[in-house]
Each structure stands twice: as structure tokens, then as C-alpha cells.
Amino acid sequence: MHGTLSAAGIPELAYLAYFITCVERRSGKDGPHIFSWFNVILFCFGLSLAAMHAFAAVSFYEQPLRFDALVAVTLGNLSYCRCELMYVWYTWLRSKAILNLKGGIRYRVSAAIVVISPGIYSIQLAILCLHLYWANESQKPATLAAIFVSSTICGLAIILFDCIMLLAYISFLRENQLDNTTQQSKSMRTSDRFSIIATYGKWSCVLLLCALVVFGSSAVVGYESEYRNLLESFCYSLLHINFLILVGMKVALHLCDSREEQEDLLARKYGSAPIAVNVTSQL
């Protein structure tokens, strides 16, 4: 399972690289933005995902491969944390404009989670390394408890972030649907992009919440349980689908931009005033 998903990540990353360097670069009006934060974070998300699957497969078959299982477990957890961190950053960059429409406490809480998330993930990994490499047998119960506490804090922070974003997406889509008949033409383009982000983001949030629930269940059943590998495989598969949804969002936004460029071209050709609304820098 892990080997298959890791292998599947190679053509997916290849397509993402092709799309960024060729399709977007060819159609960009202001020149290529290959190394924009959007592209770098999304590509790192896919790279971490492929690495996570690879290290999970190695840790499962460590004996025939004669590979240190502790190293594979450490690198696998590092990749998992990077996946969630890249997800938080990418979701925040894409969606903060939607969340900021109403502002308030939800925006501030989400911004705070984005800021502290690298720190809490670093602490979680540090405790895991302490448990695996330096703790003796008498210290392992304490380090295991610390791992559980740090993982719980990380999980709750990401669940809170995900719930806030999910509610913002659902709220925007509902209001946008109600206001669709009275919307001004000036705001239509912003609405189109926001609707794409909210639609794809909604499903992305749902999948990540499911992945976190499954991952938490795998921790509850215990490391020795025969169901742990099955639950973790399912969790990683959900993260994989999550990445594909975010790539789909990127493609959909590009198609939206291309359609708007064609509309502007036709408007100039037939003498109508083009609609100039620049929201790309915020999205």
C-alpha cells in the first residue's frame, strides 16, 4: 500500500512540476512565478507525502531490507509533520482572504495557529527522538506520555484550524449562492475565485479531519495492534487524496484566470471596458 502510494507520487509531482513550469509560465501575463510561495509549499507538500509513504513502507519491511527501523520511523514522522505543516500554510495562503471577509476572532485564532504550528511540530519530533534514541527503559513511560500529550496538542490545533476554515468555506458558499442574483459585475471575478477555493477547500478540510480522526484511532489501538498499520495506511491515503484536491484547486484557478483573460480580450476587441479586478496576489 505505502509503496504503491509512494510510486504514485512520482508522476503526480512530475505533473505538478510540468504545470508550474510550462502551463502557468506560458500563460502568465507578468512573467513566470515558478518559485512563488504557493508553488513551493504545494510541491513540498507532495514531496513530503511521497517520502512519508516511502519511509512507512521501509519501516514495515525493515528486516528483509536490513534498514534501521528507528530511522525510518523518525523520518516517516518528520514527513508526516511536514505534510500537515505544508497543508496549514497552503490553506492559509489560499484562503485567508475569504476568512478575512468577516474578520473577528476566527481570523486571529487561525493566524495564531499558523504562526505556532512549526514550533509545536518541532517539539513533537524532539520528544519522539528523545524517546527513540536516548530514553532508557525507566524513562520510556514518561516519554510516551509526553509524545501522547504533544500529539494531542498538535492534533487539536490542526482540528481547530480545519474547523474554522471549513465553517468559513461553507458560510461563504451559502452567502454567495444567496447573493448570486444581485451580485455586481465588479465582484463577480473575486467571487469566482473565492468559490473555487471554498469548494475545493471544503472537501480538503473534510478529508484532513477524517485523516486526523483515523490517525488518532491508530494511536489509541496501540503500537502492537494488528489494526495500526491498516489505520495508518488509510490515514496516509486520505492525505494523498487531500494533496490531489489542492492540485485540482490550482488547476481550476488557472482555468478561471484563463477564462477571464479571454473575456478581457473579447471586451477590448469589441470596445467594451474590461473588468480589472486584481485578486491574484491575495489568492
Side-chain angles (χ1 to χ4, degrees), residues 27-177:
S27 62
K29 294 182 293 184
D30 302 323
H33 298 283
I34 296 175
F35 296 105
S36 68
W37 280 113
F38 295 112
N39 294 337
V40 170
I41 291 174
L42 186 58
F43 193 83
C44 287
F45 183 12
L47 198 62
S48 299
L49 195 63
M52 180 184 68
H53 291 308
F55 290 124
V58 168
S59 64
F60 188 75
Y61 296 106
E62 78 275 3
Q63 290 183 350
L65 293 175
R66 296 183 180 180
F67 190 85
D68 189 348
L70 294 182
V71 175
V73 169
T74 303
L75 295 177
N77 277 272
L78 173 62
S79 300
Y80 177 81
C81 290
R82 286 187 60 186
C83 283
E84 289 196 353
L85 187 59
M86 295 300 106
Y87 166 82
V88 169
W89 285 354
Y90 189 82
T91 301
W92 173 253
L93 286 176
R94 281 292 186 203
S95 308
K96 63 180 180 180
I98 294 178
L99 196 62
N100 198 33
L101 289 175
K102 293 186 176 180
I105 187 65
R106 291 187 300 180
Y107 184 90
R108 294 193 293 272
V109 171
S110 298
I113 292 174
V114 172
V115 171
I116 68 172
S117 55
I120 59 179
Y121 277 120
S122 298
I123 293 172
Q124 181 183 1
L125 285 169
I127 295 173
L128 176 65
C129 291
L130 177 66
H131 173 76
L132 292 176
Y133 296 102
W134 293 290
N136 55 42
E137 291 302 321
S138 62
Q139 296 170 332
K140 284 189 180 296
T143 53
L144 276 174
I147 290 173
F148 178 79
V149 171
S150 62
S151 300
T152 301
I153 292 173
C154 289
L156 291 176
I158 302 306
I159 287 173
L160 178 59
F161 175 84
D162 224 33
C163 288
I164 290 174
M165 300 308 302
L166 180 60
L167 290 174
Y169 294 144
I170 294 174
S171 176
F172 173 82
L173 290 172
R174 183 183 295 114
E175 292 178 4
N176 188 61
Q177 185 177 13

Side-chain angles (χ1 to χ4, degrees), residues 96-279:
K96 63 180 180 180
I98 294 178
L99 196 62
N100 198 33
L101 289 175
K102 293 186 176 180
I105 187 65
R106 291 187 300 180
Y107 184 90
R108 294 193 293 272
V109 171
S110 298
I113 292 174
V114 172
V115 171
I116 68 172
S117 55
I120 59 179
Y121 277 120
S122 298
I123 293 172
Q124 181 183 1
L125 285 169
I127 295 173
L128 176 65
C129 291
L130 177 66
H131 173 76
L132 292 176
Y133 296 102
W134 293 290
N136 55 42
E137 291 302 321
S138 62
Q139 296 170 332
K140 284 189 180 296
T143 53
L144 276 174
I147 290 173
F148 178 79
V149 171
S150 62
S151 300
T152 301
I153 292 173
C154 289
L156 291 176
I158 302 306
I159 287 173
L160 178 59
F161 175 84
D162 224 33
C163 288
I164 290 174
M165 300 308 302
L166 180 60
L167 290 174
Y169 294 144
I170 294 174
S171 176
F172 173 82
L173 290 172
R174 183 183 295 114
E175 292 178 4
N176 188 61
Q177 185 177 13
L178 292 174
D179 298 339
N180 191 41
T181 56
T182 60
Q183 229 172 5
Q184 297 283 336
S185 60
K186 182 179 180 181
S187 63
M188 282 298 292
R189 293 192 172 182
T190 305
S191 176
D192 287 344
R193 291 183 63 87
F194 282 178
S195 295
I196 291 171
I197 293 172
T199 301
Y200 282 85
K202 175 183 66 176
W203 294 112
S204 176
C205 286
V206 169
L207 280 175
L208 186 68
L209 286 172
C210 293
L212 289 171
V213 170
V214 173
F215 189 78
S217 301
S218 69
V220 170
V221 299
Y223 285 92
E224 303 300 327
S225 173
E226 59 182 358
Y227 298 107
R228 181 177 177 82
N229 287 328
L230 179 62
L231 290 171
E232 286 190 350
S233 298
F234 185 50
C235 169
Y236 295 165
S237 300
L238 292 174
L239 287 175
H240 197 93
I241 299 172
N242 194 338
F243 169 71
L244 294 178
I245 288 176
L246 295 181
V247 173
M249 179 197 294
K250 182 175 184 63
V251 174
L253 288 171
H254 172 75
L255 294 176
C256 179
D257 289 341
S258 299
R259 184 175 64 252
E260 290 172 0
E261 290 175 15
Q262 291 297 322
E263 291 174 356
D264 282 347
L265 183 62
L266 291 174
R268 288 194 297 268
K269 182 178 179 180
Y270 293 105
S272 300
I275 304 168
V277 179
N278 183 13
V279 296

